Amino acid sequence: MIDNAILHFVSEQLSQDHSGHNHQHAERVVRNAIKIMAEEGGDEKIILSAAWLHDCIDKKLFSDIAGQISKIEELLKGLDYSKEEMEEVLFIIQNISYNGGENRPLSTLNAQIVRDADRLDAIGAMGIIRTIEYGASKGRLFYDSENIQRERGKCGWNQPSDTSLSHFYEKLLKLESLMHTSTAKRLAHQRTQFLQRFLDQFYDELS
């Protein structure tokens, strides 16, 4: 079990987010992590702590990253986490991000599970919702004419632009191949198929 102080901290830190990185996202990442742990193992305390806290140092959400790290260190020290436990939690939340396509190697099962759990929430129905939420928070269109190729009355993907549609091709559809655990790979395959069905329907309606 995770101390309520961590849940309160996460809720407080992410309460004003409208970009798809709010407290509800953290809850879903935790549930994904629990599903993966049930089949893959791992250290529950480390994994769930990192899953709850992973967006509390996200540079998309916070400008003072060093300050956020200090807050988390103070929180975990107050909960009697050992130095090793605190260092592992901080390492995980600083290294699981996609970061524009970078896929930093992770050697520990705990870190791999948290990364997989986070990435699962970026695909499937939730991934679509979060992509639209994030795009709207940045004032982005879902698509524009540069994205769309029209041929013989049919529409399809053309080229990247600064739109939410581009995010599907630049990140979301790639995530299945980047999962670490067999459990996450299975879940990611189902969710990626849903993404593709959504895109097929989108192009069909646009046509």
Side-chain angles (χ1 to χ4, degrees):
M1 295 293 292
I2 295 300
D3 195 286
N4 284 334
I6 291 180
L7 278 61
H8 178 75
F9 177 84
V10 173
S11 179
E12 183 180 68
Q13 293 294 304
L14 303 180
S15 63
Q16 300 302 312
D17 180 76
H18 300 286
S19 70
H21 299 83
N22 56 22
H23 186 266
Q24 291 176 319
H25 163 62
E27 288 179 344
R28 293 193 302 270
V29 172
V30 168
R31 289 199 296 270
N32 288 339
I34 291 170
K35 289 179 185 177
I36 298 170
M37 281 193 297
E39 298 188 34
E40 307 286 345
D43 186 317
E44 180 176 332
K45 181 179 181 181
I46 297 297
I47 291 169
L48 296 189
S49 298
W52 276 114
L53 293 164
H54 77 282
D55 272 337
C56 292
I57 59 163
D58 192 324
K59 64 183 179 181
K60 296 189 295 295
L61 310 180
F62 302 98
S63 58
D64 182 8
I65 299 303
Q68 289 299 116
I69 292 174
S70 294
K71 289 179 184 179
I72 293 171
E73 288 176 335
E74 183 178 351
L75 171 69
L76 298 182
K77 285 178 182 176
L79 296 174
D80 293 325
Y81 279 56
S82 69
K83 181 175 181 290
E84 292 74 20
E85 289 173 333
M86 185 168 64
E87 287 178 349
E88 184 171 6
V89 170
L90 285 168
F91 172 81
I92 291 172
I93 64 180
Q94 291 179 85
N95 287 277
I96 64 168
S97 176
Y98 191 75
N99 285 334
E102 183 179 0
N103 198 46
R104 296 177 185 175
L106 296 175
S107 59
T108 71
L109 177 62
N110 293 337
Q112 291 173 356
I113 287 175
V114 179
R115 176 184 273 175
D116 283 356
D118 185 32
R119 289 181 171 179
L120 281 171
D121 203 53
I123 50 181
M126 289 301 178
I128 294 170
I129 293 168
R130 293 181 64 219
T131 297
I132 293 170
E133 285 180 334
Y134 186 78
S137 75
K138 298 299 182 181
R140 292 176 181 167
L141 294 172
F142 184 78
Y143 74 98
D144 63 25
S145 59
E146 293 182 5
N147 285 139
I148 306 302
Q149 177 180 345
R150 299 178 185 273
E151 186 175 342
R152 297 180 182 177
K154 296 291 184 180
C155 292
W157 175 249
N158 184 26
Q159 62 181 356
S161 64
D162 187 25
T163 62
S164 294
L165 181 60
S166 284
H167 190 64
F168 283 81
Y169 294 91
E170 294 168 359
K171 179 181 178 181
L172 305 190
L173 292 171
K174 298 177 181 180
L175 291 179
E176 179 185 351
S177 67
L178 299 176
M179 296 293 170
H180 296 279
T181 63
S182 58
T183 306
K185 289 176 183 177
R186 184 183 73 248
L187 297 171
H189 181 67
Q190 298 167 353
R191 296 186 184 205
T192 302
Q193 287 181 316
F194 184 85
L195 288 184
Q196 192 58 64
R197 291 198 300 272
F198 169 80
L199 290 172
D200 290 344
Q201 181 69 20
F202 167 76
Y203 292 126
D204 184 62
E205 293 182 14
L206 198 61
S207 299

